[in-house]
Amino acid sequence: MDLAAIAVELYTLVPSAFTAARTARAKEAKSAGDAELAKQIAQLPKPSTAAWAVNMLVRHGTKEFAGVLELGASLGSAQEQQDHDRLRTLGQQRPRVLGAAVEQARAVAEGLGVKVSGAAAMEIEATLRAAMTDPGAAAALRSGQLVRSLATNGLEPVDLSGAVAIAGALPAAGTTQEEPDDGGRADSQRGRADSEREREKAQTALVEAERNADKADLELARAEREKSEAVRRSEQLAVEVKAAKDKLAALQQELAATEWAITLAERNRKLAVRLAARERRTAETARTRLEGLS
């Protein structure tokens, strides 16, 4: 049994099946008499949902992941050539490319029965962004053994400590070859290279900042449109409220006049009742007198 082959097998499984499969493979190694391999298998970390989804995106060889790496390479080339116009154009493409890759990762994961939350989707985007800007991060993703999400600030190298299941899947950090003494020319060249990399990182940060500023401007414009619409609606409602108040005042006056008319009508009815009663009594008296004369 080989640790690398077992890792490939385990990191293809859905996260819910990982722990049981890891335990089973460790037991097999121990039963086969390889206690060290069993220990190494047992220590393989379970990937986060975001890391697993990125692994699946990479393993399925989707065009979306290829697009992330291609755009990253194009950005790197534009940085080396200090082509600011091209950097700006490519920077504007980045949200679309990252968004498509994140949606494809979610689709692949959900096709395998794993729901990707909004928070996990944000980690996926951060990881893909790191791979776009850092060759080491890109290598970590291509290994298919990512166990945690990655992040980049655009200036410092991406922290890859504990990022992949087997450290040997990535080149060792800081590995260099011994070179003959060249009188300091190599140090000078490295210094220039470091300076150039710093400028490139700063340019990347500038592109990112300008992209964020553009997004903020769009959000501001949207907020201003919403405010203008709210003000317009408020003014319209104020007019409607005034009209309603005027109508209410008129109705209240009409109601008061009607109630006074009811009062007068009731008073007249009572007078009419008394008058009618008196006239009936007069008629009855006249009838009685007439009958006495007969």
Side-chain angles (χ1 to χ4, degrees), residues 40-93:
Q40 291 174 338
I41 295 172
Q43 291 176 341
L44 290 174
K46 179 180 177 180
S48 67
T49 299
W52 173 83
V54 172
N55 288 339
M56 293 303 97
L57 179 70
V58 175
R59 287 183 185 279
H60 282 74
T62 61
K63 64 180 182 180
E64 288 79 9
F65 178 65
V68 168
L69 297 186
E70 289 171 3
L71 181 58
S74 297
L75 283 166
S77 175
Q79 288 169 357
E80 290 177 0
Q81 299 170 9
Q82 297 188 5
D83 188 338
H84 302 301
D85 291 338
R86 187 162 177 249
L87 277 172
R88 184 184 296 276
T89 300
L90 293 172
Q92 292 172 348
Q93 296 176 14

Side-chain angles (χ1 to χ4, degrees), residues 184-204:
R185 288 191 298 275
D187 289 340
S188 177
Q189 291 172 354
R190 281 195 294 270
R192 287 194 296 271
D194 290 342
S195 178
E196 182 64 25
R197 280 194 295 271
E198 289 301 319
R199 284 195 295 271
E200 291 172 358
K201 291 176 181 178
Q203 182 62 42
T204 299

Side-chain angles (χ1 to χ4, degrees), residues 6 29 33 35 59 98 129 145 185 247 253 274 276 286 288 294:
I6 293 172
R59 287 183 185 279
L98 286 172
R129 187 185 297 276
Q145 298 178 21
R185 288 191 298 275
K247 184 175 182 180
Q253 291 178 353
R274 288 197 296 271
T288 300
S294 297

Side-chain angles (χ1 to χ4, degrees), residues 118-159:
M122 293 177 64
E123 291 184 27
I124 292 171
E125 180 177 351
T127 299
L128 293 173
R129 187 185 297 276
M132 181 181 287
T133 60
D134 188 291
L141 267 63
R142 283 194 294 266
S143 74
Q145 298 178 21
L146 198 67
V147 298
R148 65 169 177 83
S149 58
L150 305 177
T152 179
N153 60 12
L155 297 175
E156 302 296 330
V158 175
D159 178 14

